[in-house]
Every structure is written in structure tokens, then in C-alpha cells.
Amino acid sequence: MVFDLLARSLRGKLPEGEVPEGTRVYAVGDIHGCLAQLERLHEMIRADAAQSSAERLVAVYVGDYIDRGPDCRGVVEHLLSAPLPGFETVYLRGNHEDFLLEFLEDPRRMSGWMMNGAASTLSSYGVSLSASAASEVRSELRFNMPESHVAFYQSLVLWHLEGDYLFVHAGILPGVPIEEQEPKDLMWIRERFLDSNQDHGKIVVHGHTPIEEPELRFNRIGIDTGAVYGGQLTALVLEADSQRFLQA
């Protein structure tokens, strides 16, 4: 599915920003193990980018690659083995990747992760959920996980800038410079950011909070359209001062 802003009826002022000259950015929302949709969206992005004269192509993934969905391991493997050709790629850390990393450091943190969809990720890595102790689950996960996947999770960044746009997983704490933001807010914040009418200095592109359609406000653009809940997987396309979407 392809649509632009003119096809939508929106309340309030639309975000107004630009990316650097000669650059086209594709920002991909929360994937959550939905490999088939990611593959279709990548096909659409490749076809779309082939029509571009941009000198620089950038793909920004806003995090939450794993948990809840049918093929979490497959999503990470696809991102590593079949990246979009000719693109600079930025992978942000979502709260679900943070759960995994915390669990690998300390298995006592398993309960919080399990309440947030860990079973699908563990299963995708061939981990038995019948283990009696969290430390056993952690050991099996670490044994089964390819080193390239461990390096991927450890390499994820918390934010990225392109022109007038700031890309994060969940949002920002209003009024705080990006360099002073707490990682927890960047990966977890909701109402204080979502309800804010404050000018953040940049247009914040984020996922984390699922919605039926992309949400555009003057200060932010939400692109988690609930792929794991039966919705679309969305990519926001930015070039010069234009904004449009691809969906699979």
C-alpha cells in the first residue's frame, strides 16, 4: 500500500521539516518478528528507491525487531544477511531489545521480559521454555544465538538525526536536549511525550505505541502501525520537504 499526506484527513498542523539535500530516508516501524511483512516492505522500498535520483539512501529502523511475532530470529537474520542494497542503515534500540540484553546480563530479569512477549523470541532461537530456572534459559539462549545476532543487539543505537528529523524508538522527554535524554525515556516514554504540544526543536519520528495509521502532528510522526497485531508494517519516506508512506 502506498499513500501520501494529501490522501488523509488530519486534524491540526502537519509536521514541516527537511532532510539533507540529496538524501532520501526510509524509516521503518516496529517489526516484532513479522518477517513476511518486512520482506514485502523491503521489496517496496527497493522498487521505490530505484526511481529516486537521491545521492544518498538511508534506512532507519526504529526498534522492536523481536518479541510477540512469528519469526523473531528470522527478522534479525534478514536484516543482517539481506540489507537494502546501496543504503546507509541505522538500527535503533527498542525496549524489547533492551529486555533481551538485560536478560543476557542478569537472568533474574526474566519475568519482566516474559510478560512482554519473550516466549516468541526464545522459541525462535530454539530455547525450551520448560527449563526450571531462568539461568538455564539464559544459558540455552546464549548457546543458540549466533554471535552475529549478539553483536547486532549490542550495536543498536538510541537515536539518530537527519536534518530536521530526530529518530528514536518511543519518544523523548519534552524540554530535555537529546544529549541529556535518559535511555529509559527514549525506549519507553508514552503519555508525557505523546500528549505534548511542545516544539521539540526537531520532528520526532518514533514507534513503540501502536496505532492503526501513521500519526502526524507538528512535532512528531508515529509509525508503529501494529504489524504484530494484524496491522500494516509502515515505512515513512522523507525527501527534501516531502513526507509519504509505504505499507506492507
Side-chain angles (χ1 to χ4, degrees), residues 10 18 24-25 30 34-35 49 65 69 83 87 104 121 132-133 137 140 150 171 175 178 180 196 199 205-206 228 236:
L10 298 165
E18 296 185 15
R24 181 181 288 186
V25 179
D30 301 38
C34 296
L35 176 59
Y65 314 99
F87 278 70
L104 289 177
T121 298
S132 59
V137 175
E140 188 174 358
V150 177
I178 183 61
E180 300 175 19
S196 175
D199 185 339
V205 178
H206 66 95
V228 75
L236 167 66

Side-chain angles (χ1 to χ4, degrees), residues 36-58:
Q37 283 173 275
L38 176 61
E39 290 174 333
R40 291 197 298 272
L41 186 62
H42 271 189
E43 290 177 3
M44 297 175 70
I45 291 174
R46 284 193 293 268
D48 190 76
Q51 307 301 316
S52 172
S53 60
E55 300 171 358
R56 178 172 172 257
L57 298 170
V58 182

